[in-house]
Amino acid sequence: MIIILIAPIALALEFHSQSQIAYPVGMSFFPLTSIYYTDEVVGVVNITSMYIGSSYFPNGQYFTNGNASLQLNAMVDGLYWAQDVALFHQVNNGTFDVIFVVNVWDLSGPFTTNISSGVVSTYQGLGVICYLGPTFKVNTPFSLTLFMMVNSTYLDFGYALGNNVSIYYRVPIGGMFQIGGLSIRGVPNDLELVFGGPGEGSVVQMYVHGTEELYYKTDNKLEIVPQAFSVGLDTAESVIGINSSSNLTDICAPYTELSYGKGNVKVLWPVKPQLEVESNGSKIFVKLSYNGKPLEWQKIELEKFSFPSILTTVGTNITNSSGVVEFNYNSSTYVIYFAGNFSLASTYYVSVPYISSLSSVLKSTYDELTNFITHYNFKKTISSFFGNKSDTVKYSAQVSINYILLLYILAFSIGVVISAILLKFKH
């Protein structure tokens, strides 16, 4: 109860101070060196407590109060942008209305397929489908799953909330979810599970205590995404007051923790473990750990250099329960290499400083992801087009399920596509 009373004040002060940039916060998967194709994506959120405050447009103009979105977003073949969305409205302390919404964009032009339900429109030559699904009332704590499935004929949208599990909308679009690379409009084909404002590129002040998990299907089973950022790359809506961090207690099953705080841009996993190396001239002792916890059953490689920059493996070993391995080796020139595993990134140790420049042949996924996310221009993707439409399409919990609400939903998605268009022209 104390947190509920203090949080709105803290959020308001943080927003109006203009002290931070807002992002869509949660988790996303965007591989840099490969492309994943899958026919199913799943996002799970477990909410212990949540407070939703006011929403504002990027220019600071007030929009609405008590409304926010949770979005599972993915790209189909780089051509269609699919969003399975849960719109939240806070009824009172711990009670929320949840409205499920579908947004699908055809980034190549107007829809030519026959859509039997929902609002189908064209905006600046791009097709858009908006569909309003069922509404439920929930009390914290609760768990919510959003999922999308696609095959050669249909794209399905679904949810699981308590005992309610349903595929509630189907679009006659075929293909595969593409994770990695850029869409035909130039925005990243990422997989996102993120919180943001309730539409029109809005910024919402809120906090969430809970966890998130993000999965994609491979080899006929759901797998945890092998890499994760703390923010989404595509969607225009954003949030102030949620911090996303990784829980790597089990390195084989990482997940995201949501708490009150600043939404920093970072790599959730893979993380870079600590590699400690000592040598007595005849033996090399190696210890692998993360946050002081020894990492056992991890393969460590001993490498030697072959001129000019080729590495040759001369020995491998597996860490024991103390995270330690040892090698019999009497040369002072060597490289210790850990290739990475599960949520751990690769890392290495070079024994002689003058050969450090040659170690560029050893790439760290963590370093590459960190460099990408810290230099990513979020202004290209979080800018919104609808800055003066709130009077006609503003969402309210009292609005009935009618065309006005569908217009609101339409505005909710158009802001993102405008960002995509701007990104294309800036390139």
Side-chain angles (χ1 to χ4, degrees), residues 3 6-7 9-11 14 206-209 240-243 258-262:
I3 295 177
I6 294 176
I9 299 174
L11 287 169
E14 189 172 21
M206 65 181 296
Y207 77 74
V208 175
H209 284 273
I240 288 177
I242 300 179
N243 176 260
L258 304 173
S259 59
Y260 175 69
K262 185 177 180 179

Side-chain angles (χ1 to χ4, degrees), residues 159-272:
Y159 63 85
L161 180 62
N163 295 324
N164 302 293
V165 181
S166 176
I167 294 175
Y168 68 102
Y169 192 62
R170 169 171 284 182
V171 182
I173 292 172
M176 295 286 281
F177 294 114
Q178 180 181 339
I179 310 173
L182 301 179
S183 74
I184 62 171
R185 291 286 168 174
V187 292
N189 295 322
D190 74 338
L191 172 61
E192 307 176 332
L193 181 65
V194 291
F195 282 91
E200 301 190 38
S202 56
V203 183
V204 63
Q205 307 169 40
M206 65 181 296
Y207 77 74
V208 175
H209 284 273
T211 63
E212 280 190 354
E213 301 157 45
L214 191 57
Y215 301 89
Y216 71 105
K217 191 175 182 180
T218 181
D219 295 329
N220 292 318
K221 61 181 180 179
L222 291 175
E223 295 282 358
I224 299 169
V225 295
Q227 304 165 14
F229 294 123
S230 62
V231 295
L233 305 181
D234 287 357
T235 197
E237 281 63 48
S238 55
V239 61
I240 288 177
I242 300 179
N243 176 260
S244 175
S245 60
S246 58
N247 186 309
L248 303 175
T249 303
D250 182 352
I251 63 170
C252 300
Y255 61 90
T256 297
E257 291 188 338
L258 304 173
S259 59
Y260 175 69
K262 185 177 180 179
N264 292 321
V265 175
K266 56 192 171 186
V267 177
L268 297 176
W269 67 79
V271 296
K272 201 170 184 178

Side-chain angles (χ1 to χ4, degrees), residues 166-377:
S166 176
I167 294 175
Y168 68 102
Y169 192 62
R170 169 171 284 182
V171 182
I173 292 172
M176 295 286 281
F177 294 114
Q178 180 181 339
I179 310 173
L182 301 179
S183 74
I184 62 171
R185 291 286 168 174
V187 292
N189 295 322
D190 74 338
L191 172 61
E192 307 176 332
L193 181 65
V194 291
F195 282 91
E200 301 190 38
S202 56
V203 183
V204 63
Q205 307 169 40
M206 65 181 296
Y207 77 74
V208 175
H209 284 273
T211 63
E212 280 190 354
E213 301 157 45
L214 191 57
Y215 301 89
Y216 71 105
K217 191 175 182 180
T218 181
D219 295 329
N220 292 318
K221 61 181 180 179
L222 291 175
E223 295 282 358
I224 299 169
V225 295
Q227 304 165 14
F229 294 123
S230 62
V231 295
L233 305 181
D234 287 357
T235 197
E237 281 63 48
S238 55
V239 61
I240 288 177
I242 300 179
N243 176 260
S244 175
S245 60
S246 58
N247 186 309
L248 303 175
T249 303
D250 182 352
I251 63 170
C252 300
Y255 61 90
T256 297
E257 291 188 338
L258 304 173
S259 59
Y260 175 69
K262 185 177 180 179
N264 292 321
V265 175
K266 56 192 171 186
V267 177
L268 297 176
W269 67 79
V271 296
K272 201 170 184 178
Q274 288 76 49
L275 194 64
E276 302 173 56
V277 180
E278 294 182 2
S279 175
N280 62 9
S282 61
K283 285 191 175 183
I284 301 171
F285 303 90
V286 182
K287 182 176 181 179
L288 188 70
S289 62
Y290 178 69
N291 280 348
K293 178 184 176 182
L295 296 172
E296 59 180 332
W297 297 107
Q298 304 300 313
K299 185 172 75 171
I300 305 295
E301 300 177 11
L302 173 63
E303 312 276 351
K304 72 174 183 179
F305 272 104
S306 299
F307 185 83
S309 59
I310 300 174
L311 288 174
T312 303
T313 302
V314 295
T316 62
N317 211 334
I318 304 298
T319 57
N320 60 22
S321 59
S322 300
V324 174
V325 298
E326 63 178 67
F327 297 96
N328 294 316
Y329 196 68
N330 56 15
S331 173
S332 62
T333 303
Y334 58 88
V335 173
I336 300 296
Y337 180 60
F338 171 61
N341 197 4
F342 302 107
S343 54
L344 302 174
S346 60
T347 188
Y348 58 88
Y349 170 85
V350 181
S351 65
V352 181
Y354 75 83
I355 63 174
S356 294
S357 61
L358 302 180
S359 63
S360 60
V361 295
L362 300 170
K363 299 294 185 181
S364 170
T365 302
Y366 174 82
D367 292 335
E368 291 174 345
L369 292 171
T370 299
N371 182 68
F372 169 80
I373 198 66
T374 54
H375 292 87
Y376 186 76
N377 188 351

